Coordinates of all heavy atoms in Angstrom, one line a residue:
K13 N 0.8 -1.2 0.0 CA 0.0 0.0 0.0 C 0.9 1.3 0.0 O 2.0 1.2 0.4 CB -0.9 0.0 1.2 CG -1.8 -1.2 1.3 CD -2.6 -1.2 2.6 CE -3.5 -2.4 2.8 NZ -4.2 -2.4 4.1
P14 N 0.3 2.4 -0.4 CA 1.0 3.7 -0.4 C 1.4 4.0 1.0 O 0.7 3.7 2.0 CB 0.0 4.7 -0.9 CG -0.9 3.9 -1.8 CD -1.0 2.5 -1.1
G15 N 2.6 4.5 1.2 CA 3.1 4.9 2.5 C 3.8 3.7 3.2 O 4.2 3.9 4.4
Q16 N 3.9 2.6 2.6 CA 4.6 1.4 3.2 C 5.9 1.2 2.5 O 6.1 1.4 1.3 CB 3.7 0.2 3.1 CG 2.4 0.2 3.9 CD 1.7 -1.1 3.8 OE1 1.8 -1.8 2.8 NE2 0.8 -1.4 4.8
V17 N 6.9 0.8 3.4 CA 8.2 0.4 2.9 C 8.4 -1.1 3.0 O 8.3 -1.7 4.1 CB 9.3 1.1 3.7 CG1 10.7 0.7 3.1 CG2 9.1 2.6 3.7
W18 N 8.6 -1.8 1.8 CA 8.7 -3.2 1.8 C 10.1 -3.7 1.4 O 10.7 -3.1 0.5 CB 7.7 -3.8 0.8 CG 6.3 -3.9 1.4 CD1 5.3 -2.9 1.4 CD2 5.6 -5.0 2.1 NE1 4.2 -3.2 2.0 CE2 4.3 -4.5 2.4 CE3 6.0 -6.2 2.4 CZ2 3.4 -5.4 3.1 CZ3 5.1 -7.1 3.1 CH2 3.9 -6.6 3.4
F19 N 10.6 -4.7 2.2 CA 11.8 -5.4 1.8 C 11.4 -6.6 1.0 O 10.7 -7.5 1.6 CB 12.6 -5.7 3.0 CG 13.9 -6.5 2.7 CD1 14.9 -6.0 1.9 CD2 14.0 -7.8 3.2 CE1 16.0 -6.8 1.6 CE2 15.1 -8.6 2.9 CZ 16.1 -8.1 2.1
L20 N 11.9 -6.7 -0.2 CA 11.6 -7.9 -1.1 C 12.9 -8.5 -1.4 O 13.7 -8.1 -2.2 CB 10.9 -7.4 -2.4 CG 9.6 -6.6 -2.2 CD1 9.1 -6.1 -3.6 CD2 8.5 -7.4 -1.5
P21 N 13.3 -9.6 -0.7 CA 14.6 -10.2 -0.8 C 14.8 -10.8 -2.2 O 13.9 -11.3 -2.8 CB 14.6 -11.3 0.3 CG 13.2 -11.6 0.6 CD 12.4 -10.3 0.3
G22 N 16.1 -10.8 -2.6 CA 16.5 -11.4 -3.8 C 16.4 -13.0 -3.7 O 16.3 -13.5 -2.6
N23 N 16.4 -13.6 -4.9 CA 16.3 -15.1 -4.9 C 15.1 -15.6 -4.2 O 15.0 -16.7 -3.6 CB 17.6 -15.7 -4.2 CG 17.8 -17.1 -4.6 OD1 17.5 -17.6 -5.7 ND2 18.4 -17.9 -3.7
T24 N 14.0 -14.8 -4.3 CA 12.7 -15.1 -3.7 C 11.6 -14.9 -4.7 O 11.0 -13.8 -4.8 CB 12.5 -14.2 -2.4 OG1 13.6 -14.3 -1.6 CG2 11.3 -14.7 -1.7
P25 N 11.2 -16.0 -5.4 CA 10.2 -15.8 -6.5 C 8.8 -15.4 -5.9 O 8.4 -15.9 -4.9 CB 10.1 -17.2 -7.1 CG 11.4 -17.8 -6.8 CD 11.8 -17.3 -5.5
V26 N 8.2 -14.4 -6.5 CA 6.9 -13.9 -6.1 C 6.0 -13.7 -7.4 O 6.5 -13.5 -8.5 CB 6.9 -12.6 -5.3 CG1 7.7 -12.7 -4.0 CG2 7.5 -11.5 -6.2
E27 N 4.7 -13.9 -7.2 CA 3.8 -13.5 -8.2 C 3.3 -12.1 -8.0 O 2.9 -11.7 -6.9 CB 2.6 -14.5 -8.2 CG 1.5 -14.1 -9.2 CD 0.2 -14.9 -9.0 OE1 0.2 -15.9 -8.3 OE2 -0.9 -14.4 -9.4
R28 N 3.4 -11.3 -9.0 CA 3.1 -9.9 -8.9 C 1.7 -9.6 -9.4 O 1.3 -10.2 -10.5 CB 4.1 -9.0 -9.7 CG 5.5 -9.1 -9.2 CD 6.4 -8.1 -10.0 NE 6.3 -8.2 -11.4 CZ 6.9 -9.1 -12.2 NH1 7.8 -9.9 -11.6 NH2 6.7 -9.1 -13.5
R29 N 0.9 -8.9 -8.7 CA -0.5 -8.6 -9.1 C -0.7 -7.0 -9.1 O -0.4 -6.4 -8.1 CB -1.5 -9.3 -8.2 CG -1.4 -10.8 -8.2 CD -2.4 -11.4 -7.3 NE -2.4 -12.9 -7.3 CZ -3.2 -13.7 -6.6 NH1 -4.1 -13.2 -5.9 NH2 -3.0 -15.0 -6.7
C30 N -1.3 -6.5 -10.1 CA -1.6 -5.1 -10.2 C -2.7 -4.9 -11.2 O -2.7 -5.4 -12.3 CB -0.3 -4.4 -10.7 SG -0.5 -2.6 -10.7
R31 N -3.7 -4.1 -10.7 CA -4.9 -3.8 -11.5 C -5.1 -2.3 -11.7 O -6.1 -1.9 -12.4 CB -6.1 -4.4 -10.9 CG -6.1 -5.9 -10.8 CD -6.2 -6.5 -12.2 NE -6.3 -8.0 -12.2 CZ -5.2 -8.8 -12.2 NH1 -4.0 -8.2 -12.3 NH2 -5.3 -10.1 -12.2
E32 N -4.2 -1.4 -11.1 CA -4.4 0.0 -11.2 C -3.1 0.7 -11.4 O -2.0 0.1 -11.3 CB -5.1 0.5 -10.0 CG -4.4 0.3 -8.7 CD -5.2 0.7 -7.5 OE1 -6.0 -0.1 -7.0 OE2 -4.9 1.8 -7.0
R33 N -3.2 2.0 -11.8 CA -1.9 2.7 -12.0 C -1.3 3.0 -10.6 O -2.0 3.4 -9.7 CB -2.2 4.1 -12.7 CG -2.9 3.9 -14.1 CD -2.1 3.0 -15.0 NE -0.7 3.5 -15.3 CZ 0.2 2.8 -16.0 NH1 -0.1 1.6 -16.5 NH2 1.4 3.4 -16.2
C34 N 0.0 2.8 -10.6 CA 0.8 3.0 -9.3 C 2.0 3.8 -9.6 O 2.6 3.8 -10.7 CB 1.1 1.7 -8.7 SG -0.3 0.5 -8.4
E35 N 2.5 4.5 -8.5 CA 3.8 5.1 -8.5 C 4.6 4.5 -7.4 O 4.2 4.3 -6.3 CB 3.7 6.6 -8.3 CG 3.0 7.4 -9.3 CD 2.8 8.8 -9.0 OE1 2.3 9.1 -7.9 OE2 3.2 9.7 -9.8
V36 N 5.9 4.1 -7.8 CA 6.7 3.3 -6.8 C 8.1 3.9 -6.9 O 8.7 4.0 -8.0 CB 6.7 1.8 -7.2 CG1 7.6 1.1 -6.1 CG2 5.3 1.3 -7.2
L37 N 8.7 4.2 -5.8 CA 10.1 4.4 -5.7 C 10.8 3.2 -5.2 O 10.3 2.6 -4.1 CB 10.4 5.6 -4.7 CG 11.9 6.0 -4.5 CD1 12.5 6.6 -5.7 CD2 12.0 7.0 -3.3
F38 N 11.8 2.7 -5.9 CA 12.4 1.4 -5.4 C 13.9 1.5 -5.5 O 14.5 2.2 -6.4 CB 11.8 0.2 -6.0 CG 12.1 0.0 -7.5 CD1 13.1 -0.8 -7.9 CD2 11.3 0.6 -8.4 CE1 13.3 -1.1 -9.3 CE2 11.5 0.4 -9.8 CZ 12.5 -0.4 -10.2
F39 N 14.6 0.7 -4.7 CA 16.0 0.6 -4.6 C 16.4 -0.8 -4.8 O 15.9 -1.7 -4.2 CB 16.5 1.1 -3.2 CG 16.0 2.4 -2.8 CD1 14.8 2.5 -2.0 CD2 16.6 3.6 -3.2 CE1 14.3 3.7 -1.6 CE2 16.1 4.8 -2.8 CZ 14.9 4.9 -2.0
K40 N 17.4 -1.0 -5.7 CA 18.0 -2.3 -5.9 C 19.3 -2.4 -5.1 O 20.2 -1.5 -5.3 CB 18.2 -2.6 -7.4 CG 16.9 -2.7 -8.2 CD 17.1 -2.7 -9.7 CE 17.7 -4.0 -10.2 NZ 16.6 -5.1 -10.3
L41 N 19.6 -3.5 -4.4 CA 20.8 -3.5 -3.6 C 21.2 -5.0 -3.3 O 20.4 -5.9 -3.5 CB 20.5 -2.8 -2.2 CG 19.3 -3.3 -1.4 CD1 19.7 -4.1 -0.2 CD2 18.4 -2.1 -1.0
S42 N 22.4 -5.1 -2.8 CA 22.9 -6.4 -2.3 C 23.5 -6.2 -1.0 O 23.7 -5.0 -0.5 CB 23.9 -7.0 -3.3 OG 25.1 -6.1 -3.4
C43 N 23.7 -7.3 -0.2 CA 24.3 -7.2 1.1 C 25.5 -8.2 1.2 O 25.5 -9.2 0.4 CB 23.3 -7.5 2.2 SG 21.8 -6.5 2.1
D44 N 26.4 -8.0 2.1 CA 27.4 -9.1 2.3 C 28.0 -8.9 3.7 O 27.9 -7.8 4.3 CB 28.4 -9.2 1.2 CG 29.4 -8.0 1.1 OD1 29.6 -7.3 2.1 OD2 29.8 -7.7 0.0
W45 N 28.6 -10.0 4.2 CA 29.4 -10.0 5.4 C 30.8 -10.5 4.9 O 31.7 -9.7 4.9 CB 28.8 -10.8 6.5 CG 29.4 -10.5 7.8 CD1 28.8 -9.6 8.7 CD2 30.6 -11.0 8.4 NE1 29.6 -9.5 9.9 CE2 30.7 -10.3 9.7 CE3 31.6 -11.8 8.1 CZ2 31.8 -10.6 10.6 CZ3 32.7 -12.1 8.9 CH2 32.7 -11.5 10.2
L46 N 30.9 -11.7 4.5 CA 32.0 -12.1 3.7 C 31.9 -11.5 2.3 O 30.8 -11.4 1.8 CB 32.1 -13.6 3.6 CG 32.3 -14.4 4.9 CD1 32.2 -15.9 4.7 CD2 33.7 -14.1 5.5
P47 N 33.1 -11.1 1.7 CA 33.0 -10.4 0.4 C 32.3 -11.3 -0.6 O 32.6 -12.4 -0.9 CB 34.5 -10.3 0.1 CG 35.2 -10.2 1.4 CD 34.4 -11.2 2.3
G48 N 31.2 -10.7 -1.2 CA 30.5 -11.3 -2.3 C 29.5 -12.4 -1.8 O 28.8 -12.9 -2.7
F49 N 29.4 -12.7 -0.5 CA 28.5 -13.7 -0.1 C 27.4 -13.1 0.7 O 27.5 -12.7 1.8 CB 29.3 -14.8 0.8 CG 28.6 -16.1 0.8 CD1 29.3 -17.2 0.2 CD2 27.4 -16.3 1.3 CE1 28.7 -18.5 0.2 CE2 26.8 -17.6 1.3 CZ 27.4 -18.6 0.7
D50 N 26.2 -13.0 0.1 CA 25.1 -12.3 0.6 C 24.3 -13.3 1.6 O 23.7 -14.2 1.1 CB 24.2 -11.8 -0.5 CG 23.1 -10.9 0.0 OD1 22.6 -11.0 1.1 OD2 22.6 -10.0 -0.8
P51 N 24.3 -13.1 2.9 CA 23.6 -14.0 3.8 C 22.1 -14.0 3.6 O 21.4 -14.9 4.0 CB 24.0 -13.5 5.2 CG 24.3 -12.0 5.0 CD 24.9 -12.0 3.6
L52 N 21.5 -13.0 3.0 CA 20.1 -12.9 2.8 C 19.6 -13.6 1.6 O 18.4 -13.8 1.4 CB 19.6 -11.4 2.8 CG 20.0 -10.6 4.1 CD1 19.4 -9.2 4.0 CD2 19.5 -11.3 5.3
L53 N 20.5 -14.0 0.7 CA 20.0 -14.7 -0.5 C 19.6 -16.2 -0.2 O 18.9 -16.8 -1.0 CB 21.1 -14.7 -1.6 CG 21.3 -13.4 -2.4 CD1 22.4 -13.5 -3.4 CD2 20.0 -13.0 -3.0
D54 N 20.2 -16.7 0.8 CA 20.0 -18.1 1.2 C 19.3 -18.3 2.6 O 19.2 -19.4 3.1 CB 21.3 -19.0 1.1 CG 21.9 -18.9 -0.3 OD1 21.3 -19.4 -1.2 OD2 23.0 -18.3 -0.4

């Protein structure tokens, strides 16, 4: 919904549904602790 901030993790298939016009600001990012190994992908 408008006014909500959602975290959508990578490597996580979702079905997207939309029936109306929307405006969205979104950020694409990765994370790591060990270089190149993203703990949130698995």
Side-chain angles (χ1 to χ4, degrees):
K13 302 175 182 177
Q16 292 182 336
V17 181
W18 282 85
F19 174 64
L20 305 175
N23 199 29
T24 309
V26 297
E27 177 192 340
R28 301 185 306 275
R29 298 181 179 182
C30 187
R31 296 291 182 271
E32 58 186 86
R33 301 305 299 175
C34 303
E35 294 176 306
V36 183
L37 178 68
F38 67 98
F39 309 92
K40 292 169 76 78
L41 55 106
S42 62
C43 305
D44 65 30
W45 201 93
L46 292 171
F49 205 114
D50 191 331
L52 300 184
L53 285 180
D54 301 297

